[in-house]
Amino acid sequence: MSGPGGLSGLGGLGGPGGLGATLTWAKLREVKCAELEEAADGWGRASNRADAARDRIDTQLVNDLRRTQKGEAARAAVRRLRRLSMNFQYIYTECGLLRTALNSLAHEMKAQQRVLRGALDDAAALKFTVHADGSVSYPAAGEGLVDGKPLAGGRASGVPNPGLAVPSGLVAPNPNAAKAQDIADRVARAVRAAGDADWRYARILRGLKAEEGLGVPAATWTDAAGDAAAVRQAAGGYLRRGIPHDASPAERKAWWAGLTDEQCEEYLAVYPDQIGNLDGIPALVRDAANRDNLQLLMGKLAGRDDEDAVTKLAALREIGRQLGSVQKPGDPPMYLLGIGDQGNGRAIVSYGNPDTSKNVAAYVPGLNTSLDEEFAKGDLKRARDTAAAAREIDHSTAAIVWLGYDAPQSPDGLSSLAVAGTERAETGGHAFRGFMSGLEVSNDHDDPHMTAIGHSYGSRTVGAATQQGGGIPGVDDIVLVGSPGIGVDRAEDLGVGGDHVFVGAADNDVVTHLPSKEQGLLAAAGRALGPAGSLAVDAVHSGDDDLWFGSDPASESFGARRFAVDPGPPLIGLGSVSLEAHSQYFDPEMDSASADSIAMVVAGRGHQVKQESAR
């Protein structure tokens, strides 16, 4: 597969080593941009056919084969089909880039043809002559100061970059001279810009080609990531400025709905990273974009060998494995609503379609969460377990894990939480609000039931989101588990009413007992004073409801509905330290009481959750 070089057969017209010196305004005028657009349409059709073939393999052939055939031969056939699917995905990506590159080139050439036509029309109206080299002859005009006769005509040569020309200090007296110079400059600028565009796109199009053979190894995806970056840079004026980054989710949804099919396909081909992470865009579109961007990200990271790249690449491969695995009957379908390698990494995965589901929940993970294998296996399982349990209550349910911020990181766990500030929660809360707003506007139901779930530091992030701009859009219920405090004093401060705030706090979860900053300082002072000092501190703070980030959500004074949870393993037992009590709230095998309560809230049955006494 290879793209055409130069202006669809006219050759490289400009740039180093090109034919820029031989390009004339006459050639530019005759460039047939419609032919470029026809070629782009052809590559677009090829891209769409490859995408349809990939979809048929993934959703029909593989599933049918696994359902009807068993044994090693069937497994080998599935592996070959997966490889064929990857080939079609690569074809889809590269053909889409070719289409956009050609359309963008046509867009730039049309712009320069408009500039050229304007200059030629002005010359014709003034009866000036535009010569083959772009110079402009103008007739005599005006009258001399001495003899009163018309001032002699002349010829002006264009300057491609007039701003760089050194002024002579002399002003030609003939009034036509300045007009002719302006026309000649515009002609020169158009020819120069067209030559530069052709040179840039010729390089890109020559690079859009596949390796020989039928395999698509990781190195090929690394090249594809570079291809996409090159087309993005070149097509900036054609597509990028149209993406409404600063708009509301509702405005983004309307923008996407107003695009033509071809425009949608081009945005997906060139900017899957941006479209896939744009709140307000439909879930099916985000999923398609992010699945393609996942391959590009893996190709990009495979070209690096630093620890950060290796860690993220392992997570992406695990997410890709899960996306490609065949679902069992009744399993909630998996949608990739966000993916990225910025910061500690980004990933948003939904089990169930959040646009068609009546009940939608989003879970925010906390301390030490990043885009690694532990997240790809553990945190995704939490969302999947929640979705599966909630769908048994109401099948129209989707549960999401949202890693859309940089949670605090520290290998020693609790000490990191003890020193963690609120800046990451505030930043994450702002992003979470935008995401939930996007879910609200893209959902097909008039009034979907939405739940925000925060675990550990993620509960502080959810708390921060409730305090920004009037609460979290669309959210009806809030679930807080393993919380070190959320930054507010009472459940009613979260904007959904105290009866719609649900709290799970295991007795052996040390995070839910983390003392307030003041208590921590006094405890340190007490230890310095010896046993008597420690006893004094305990006496002063007996019954204190404050945790590190404010009031204990499980306390009676907070006013939330606390549900029953398993106490979990003790912090210290059998000679080792265990934090398992902090991480089992979502696990139906380790803590069915908590997992079932969360599922009931997510499914809109919070009023049926069995309550436990507050602390």
Side-chain angles (χ1 to χ4, degrees):
M1 180 180 68
S2 177
L7 289 173
S8 191
L10 290 180
L13 298 177
L19 302 176
T22 64
L23 176 62
T24 65
W25 62 264
K27 288 182 179 179
L28 172 59
R29 183 180 59 183
E30 300 305 318
V31 170
K32 294 179 174 59
C33 292
E35 294 182 356
L36 289 173
E37 292 170 333
E38 288 174 5
D41 290 342
W43 288 110
R45 288 190 292 272
S47 179
N48 291 339
R49 286 195 294 270
D51 190 41
R54 175 188 63 172
D55 184 68
R56 182 168 182 265
I57 291 171
D58 291 344
T59 61
Q60 181 179 341
L61 297 182
V62 170
N63 288 343
D64 288 349
L65 186 61
R66 284 191 168 177
R67 188 177 63 254
T68 60
Q69 304 295 323
K70 304 295 181 183
E72 181 55 36
R75 288 191 290 271
V78 168
R79 288 194 294 271
R80 292 178 66 87
L81 284 172
R82 291 291 188 205
R83 191 159 57 248
L84 181 60
S85 172
M86 188 68 69
N87 291 346
F88 278 123
Q89 182 170 10
Y90 177 73
I91 293 170
Y92 161 78
T93 298
E94 293 289 285
C95 288
L97 293 175
L98 275 164
R99 171 179 55 191
T100 301
L102 288 169
N103 275 333
S104 184
L105 173 58
H107 174 79
E108 291 198 34
M109 299 308 298
K110 284 180 177 179
Q112 300 313 318
Q113 286 180 323
R114 287 194 295 270
V115 172
L116 176 63
R117 280 197 301 271
L120 295 178
D121 289 345
D122 288 346
L126 294 167
K127 301 190 183 311
F128 292 176
T129 300
V130 181
H131 299 279
D133 62 358
S135 60
V136 178
S137 295
Y138 55 92
E143 57 182 39
L145 296 177
V146 177
D147 56 11
K149 294 181 179 180
L151 298 172
R155 189 163 176 165
S157 296
V159 179
N161 299 296
L164 301 179
V166 178
S168 65
L170 300 176
V171 179
N174 187 326
N176 286 328
K179 299 175 184 177
Q181 187 64 57
D182 173 67
I183 292 170
D185 289 345
R186 283 188 279 159
V187 170
R189 285 199 301 272
V191 171
R192 174 60 184 270
D196 287 348
D198 178 72
W199 177 70
R200 282 187 283 110
Y201 283 98
R203 293 183 61 193
I204 292 171
L205 293 169
R206 281 194 294 267
L208 291 172
K209 59 183 179 181
E211 299 295 329
E212 294 183 2
L214 297 178
V216 183
T220 302
W221 280 109
T222 300
D223 291 340
D227 293 340
V231 174
R232 286 190 199 107
Q233 183 176 5
Y238 175 59
L239 289 176
R240 183 171 56 214
R241 286 194 291 270
I243 300 177
H245 291 290
D246 296 329
S248 68
E251 291 169 334
R252 292 168 181 166
K253 179 184 178 182
W255 167 76
W256 184 262
L259 297 177
T260 65
D261 289 344
E262 182 178 7
Q263 288 172 324
C264 290
E265 290 163 3
E266 288 195 86
Y267 275 113
L268 286 172
V270 182
Y271 295 108
D273 56 329
Q274 296 185 38
I275 299 302
N277 291 283
L278 202 61
D279 298 327
I281 299 297
L284 289 176
V285 175
R286 292 182 70 160
D287 178 64
N290 285 313
R291 286 176 186 248
D292 292 330
N293 191 40
L294 178 67
Q295 297 298 328
L296 296 176
L297 278 175
M298 288 194 289
K300 171 187 172 183
L301 294 176
R304 294 164 42 188
D305 59 1
D306 57 279
E307 183 178 355
D308 180 67
V310 171
T311 298
K312 291 174 179 174
L313 181 58
L316 295 177
R317 285 174 173 165
E318 173 59 22
I319 292 173
R321 184 196 68 78
Q322 294 183 37
L323 286 168
S325 63
V326 177
Q327 293 181 313
K328 299 177 182 178
D331 282 352
M334 188 175 176
Y335 297 85
L336 189 59
L337 303 183
I339 199 73
D341 64 343
Q342 63 268 42
N344 295 329
R346 302 287 187 267
I348 307 171
V349 179
S350 179
Y351 292 91
N353 187 333
D355 287 354
T356 60
S357 298
K358 183 175 62 177
N359 306 297
V360 182
Y363 143 61
V364 183
L367 179 68
N368 278 340
T369 307
S370 63
L371 187 59
D372 56 17
E373 267 195 293
E374 182 178 350
F375 167 83
K377 293 178 179 178
D379 288 277
L380 264 64
K381 181 180 182 298
R382 292 175 178 178
R384 184 171 60 249
D385 287 344
T386 299
R391 286 163 72 92
E392 291 183 2
I393 303 169
D394 187 338
H395 189 74
S396 184
T397 300
I400 302 164
V401 54
W402 182 86
L403 180 59
Y405 79 121
D406 288 328
Q409 302 290 307
S410 175
D412 52 7
L414 293 180
S415 66
S416 172
L417 187 58
V419 299
T422 61
E423 182 178 354
R424 293 184 182 223
E426 297 293 337
T427 302
H430 178 76
F432 185 62
R433 285 191 75 256
F435 176 72
M436 297 303 286
S437 178
L439 292 183
E440 183 186 30
V441 302
S442 64
N443 192 279
D444 294 340
H445 297 270
D446 292 335
D447 186 20
H449 171 254
M450 298 175 65
T451 305
I453 306 173
H455 174 241
S456 185
Y457 189 85
S459 68
R460 180 65 183 87
T461 302
V462 170
T466 67
Q467 304 304 298
Q468 300 175 7
I472 307 176
V475 166
D476 303 286
D477 291 311
I478 293 176
V479 177
L480 309 169
V481 289
S483 175
I486 59 174
V488 301
D489 294 329
R490 296 184 58 80
E492 62 188 25
D493 297 332
L494 297 177
V496 294
D499 287 344
H500 291 273
V501 179
F502 300 83
V503 176
D507 289 342
N508 290 325
D509 182 354
V510 65
V511 173
T512 69
H513 296 285
L514 193 67
S516 68
K517 298 175 184 178
E518 292 76 11
Q519 286 177 300
L521 292 173
L522 284 172
R527 286 192 297 270
L529 294 173
S534 296
L535 288 173
V537 170
D538 290 341
V540 170
H541 285 280
S542 60
D544 193 330
D545 290 334
D546 280 350
L547 298 181
W548 191 261
F549 291 118
S551 296
D552 180 1
S555 67
E556 184 174 0
S557 63
F558 190 79
R561 302 181 67 180
R562 185 184 182 194
F563 54 85
V565 302
D566 188 277
L571 178 64
I572 300 177
L574 300 177
S576 62
V577 176
S578 171
L579 297 178
E580 288 301 316
H582 183 58
S583 59
Q584 63 185 36
Y585 293 98
F586 300 87
D587 195 315
E589 296 182 359
M590 299 180 68
D591 191 347
S592 60
S594 176
D596 289 347
S597 295
I598 294 172
M600 290 182 71
V601 176
V602 168
R605 305 287 180 85
H607 59 283
Q608 298 178 3
V609 170
K610 183 178 179 180
Q611 290 188 241
E612 185 177 72
S613 298
R615 286 178 177 171

